[in-house]
Each structure stands twice: as structure tokens, then as C-alpha cells.
Amino acid sequence: MKRVLFTLAISSVVFLTSCSSDDDATGTEMEETIVIDNPASYTFDRNGETTVSYGGQTTRILMAQELLGAFTTNTNTAETLKAMYAHEEGAADFEDADLNASDKSLRSKTAASVDYFSTNATDQALIRADFESWIDGQVNNVFTNWNVTAEAGTAGQLADGERTRYVNAQGLEYNQMFAKGLLGALMTDQVLNNYLSTAVLDEGSSREDNDAETVLEGESYTNMEHKWDEAYGYVYGLNADASDPNADLGADSFLNEYIGKLEEDADFAGIADEIFQAFKLGRAAIVAGDYDVRDAQAEIIREKISQVIAVRGIFYMQNAKTTLAEEVPNYAGAFHALSEAYGFIYSLRFTRKPGTDAAYFTKAESDELLEELMGDGVNGLWDVEAETIDEISEDIAERFNFTVAQAGE
């Protein structure tokens, strides 16, 4: 028997009472009470020293930010961009010297989760090849036509009076595909399918060490605490105050930004706090040694972050549909939105259905949606029809607990 009491205060204490299987001499069950101290902010310490650490995640987000910026410098080579993607320690790939000194890289963590890819090297290689092919496409197709006006079958630039977009012959912006694809293949996959996985959190003697508060050598935190924090870092690693991040959403171009976008939508308002509270309570449960509560919070995070990807994919498709229906279609704006949608649809394969070991869409299903979006592959987005956009949107929404109308507003 377990009894869980949650208070409504911002800072709360959670009491869990469980009956021991051992009876005392009189046959009366002995009760063990677990108290979870759930703080108001994501602040945890031991002996006066913080136990929260996710420097590697902050580094990779910064690498990704700089790489995306390099997609818009048409003098860059494919070798330059690929070196930024697959950085090696000490290589002068970035403007930031600290990033150059780091042993972290984006490629090594792309499609690299324990749950999805530890026994699936084939898909891992294919996914990493996709990102490298988008780099090749940007350099070999888009950079070479930088000053050419794009049209069906011809790469180049499209302007809408405010921004100039650079697209391939099918109307796709490689930088947007790369950005939203990386949001899934790196950030989402590492959070949902790696660091929140019991295979990682409970690896080896992790539970015993956490119960005994045995910290990693030279550190203030246990292995389990650190793994949970690394998941947290992929979401909040660039926030000015990551202990209370919801006032500063949009700190990066990845999960942080798009959690903020959903929070601004009346149909999904509250999702930012749901994700943050689940991270915080899960971390507090680790400190208290309650792994049932920890795992329950991981499932909430999986559901909500998966929803972010699905909602934004539909949002951008519906936005583009409206734009293309105008008397004078704004192709620059529409193709920009559809390129973002492409990346989010690609990222559906990295989502996670709560209570399962499966994504909401398999790789094959995600690829099928993308093939439907691109049509025969010759003109791609130039020939996309409203009916196709609606069909894909409905296919995505029906697997989640929201409607196309809610996501598309």
C-alpha cells in the first residue's frame, strides 16, 4: 500500500507511506514513511554545495546555435560545417574558444539514446547521414545559387519584403530542417529516451549509491542525480536562471523556445509549468530515494515534450496552408513554415508514448509523412496542396490528445 499526499503550496513536501512486508511480534504491519522535499525552484545541494550539473548539455546547445548560424554564411564549405557538427577536442571549429576546447560534439549524441539506438546502429547511421546530407545540400545546392531567384526546380532565394529565405529546388530550407531535426534527434532523444530511461538512471549500482548518497569521485552529486540533471540541461541549459526558467523561455532555438511557444497558446497554456514541475519533483524524488515518483514524473515529461513536437509540426503546416491560399501567395513565408514543419515531422520518431518503449511515430511512419508532404519529389513544396497538409495534420493529431484546430491556431 502506498499513499501519496501533494500540497498545493509552491514549495511542498510529499509524504509516501508504505507498508512493510515484515510484521512485528504482534502481527502489526510496520510503516515506512518517505518524505519528498519538493523545493520551489530547481535548487538542490549537499553540504552547502550545489548538486546540479549539466555543463555538457549547455555546451552542445551552444555548439548547435553556432552551427545553425553558419548555415547562413555562403562562403562556408561542407567540410567546415561538418567539422562543427562532429567537433573534435581542440579543433578550431567555433568562434567560442571554450567550445573549441571541449571534447563534446553534436554528431556523437545524434540518435544516440540507450532505449532507441543502443541496438539499432542501422537507423542511427541513417539518421546521422541525413544531417550530413542537409549540410551537403546547403553548400552544393543553396550556396551556389545564393543570388538566384528560386522557382520550382531551381534553388535560390525568396523574399517576402521582410526576410530573404534560401531554399533548395524543392522549396526546403536546409537550416530549418537541420534545426528542428536536431531538436528531435539530439535534445528530445537524449532527454526522453536516454537520461530519463531506467536503463541509465538505474545502471549498475546507481540505486544503491543514490540511497547511500555515494557521490561521484570529486563531485557533489550521485550518478543518478547527475543523469536526471543532464536531461534537465537539454531543456533549460541556456536559461539565465535555470533554477526558475519559465520566466525566460526562448533562451535557445530548440526545446526551450518551443515549450515557450506552446505556453503562449491558450489551448496549451500551463504546459511549461507541467514540464518544469515534473523535472523538479522527479529530482526531489531522487534525493528522497523514491523511484516510483521519479518514474511517474519521467512519463509526464515524455508526454508533454512529445506533444510540443507534434503541435508545432501541425502549427507550421496550417500556417503555410493559410499563406499559400492568399491571392498572392507568400512563398518565402510558406516554405519557411513548411521547412520547420518538415523538421518537426522528422522528429516524431524520437518522441515517446508514456508507459511504453515506443515513439508516437516510427521512423518508417515519419518518413512516410514526409514523402506525402513532398509529393513526387520533383517540385516538392511548390506543388503541395491544402488537402495534403490537412491529411498529414490529422494523421499526427489523432495520435495525441488535441485537435488540428487547437494546434493550428
Side-chain angles (χ1 to χ4, degrees), residues 316-326 334 338 386-387 389-390:
Y316 284 118
M317 282 190 291
Q318 293 298 313
N319 178 275
K321 184 184 76 170
T322 300
T323 302
L324 290 171
E326 294 173 355
L338 287 172
E387 182 181 359
I389 290 175
D390 284 338

Side-chain angles (χ1 to χ4, degrees), residues 122-357:
T122 299
D123 280 356
Q124 180 185 75
L126 290 171
I127 289 165
R128 291 177 179 180
D130 283 341
F131 284 91
E132 290 164 345
S133 74
W134 296 338
I135 289 174
D136 287 332
Q138 182 73 1
V139 173
N140 299 329
N141 301 322
V142 176
F143 283 174
T144 55
N145 278 24
W146 201 249
N147 295 314
V148 174
T149 298
E151 59 184 41
T154 301
Q157 61 173 256
L158 292 171
D160 61 7
E162 296 181 4
R163 294 285 302 273
T164 299
R165 308 291 183 182
Y166 298 90
V167 301
N168 70 6
Q170 297 172 302
L172 285 166
E173 285 183 280
Y174 285 115
N175 62 329
Q176 293 304 319
M177 296 160 62
F178 196 100
K180 278 57 182 184
L182 198 66
L183 179 154
L186 198 162
M187 288 77 177
T188 299
D189 186 49
Q190 284 293 297
V191 174
L192 308 190
N193 310 313
N194 194 70
Y195 289 119
L196 298 186
S197 168
T198 55
V200 171
L201 292 170
D202 295 339
E203 183 180 13
S205 62
S206 187
R207 279 203 181 194
E208 291 80 2
D209 292 342
N210 192 67
D211 290 338
E213 294 192 58
T214 301
V215 300
L216 296 176
E217 185 176 356
E219 306 294 352
S220 61
Y221 44 76
T222 68
N223 181 63
M224 189 186 296
E225 290 170 338
H226 185 49
K227 297 305 181 185
W228 189 273
D229 290 341
E230 289 183 290
Y232 188 82
Y234 274 122
V235 181
Y236 305 111
L238 290 193
N239 282 93
D241 180 8
S243 69
D244 187 17
N246 283 344
D248 185 31
L249 292 175
D252 64 38
S253 300
F254 304 101
L255 285 174
N256 197 278
E257 175 178 354
Y258 291 99
I259 291 171
K261 295 291 188 185
L262 257 69
E263 185 63 26
E264 294 170 358
D265 186 331
D267 288 310
F268 302 99
I271 191 171
D273 197 51
E274 288 179 290
I275 293 171
F276 172 66
Q277 293 298 336
F279 267 118
K280 183 165 62 68
L281 179 56
R283 181 58 157 80
I286 289 173
V287 174
D290 191 288
Y291 307 118
D292 289 341
V293 171
R294 177 201 71 181
D295 293 345
Q297 304 317 299
E299 297 298 347
I300 293 171
I301 296 166
R302 284 169 170 156
E303 178 186 9
K304 298 304 177 181
I305 288 181
S306 296
Q307 187 179 67
V308 170
I309 290 173
V311 169
R312 293 310 289 184
I314 294 173
F315 172 85
Y316 284 118
M317 282 190 291
Q318 293 298 313
N319 178 275
K321 184 184 76 170
T322 300
T323 302
L324 290 171
E326 294 173 355
E327 184 175 351
V328 180
N330 175 0
Y331 287 107
F335 289 176
H336 175 68
L338 287 172
S339 297
E340 293 189 275
Y342 187 106
F344 279 115
I345 296 169
Y346 185 91
S347 290
L348 289 170
R349 71 196 68 190
F350 307 106
T351 58
R352 184 71 169 263
K353 288 188 288 187
T356 78
D357 59 359

Side-chain angles (χ1 to χ4, degrees), residues 15-45:
F15 297 91
L16 296 108
T17 303
S18 60
C19 295
S20 170
S21 59
D22 297 324
D23 295 341
D24 62 14
T26 64
T28 303
E29 284 189 324
M30 302 295 292
E31 287 192 345
E32 177 186 0
T33 300
I34 300 174
V35 179
I36 300 177
D37 183 7
N38 187 20
S41 62
Y42 199 90
T43 304
F44 301 92
D45 55 55

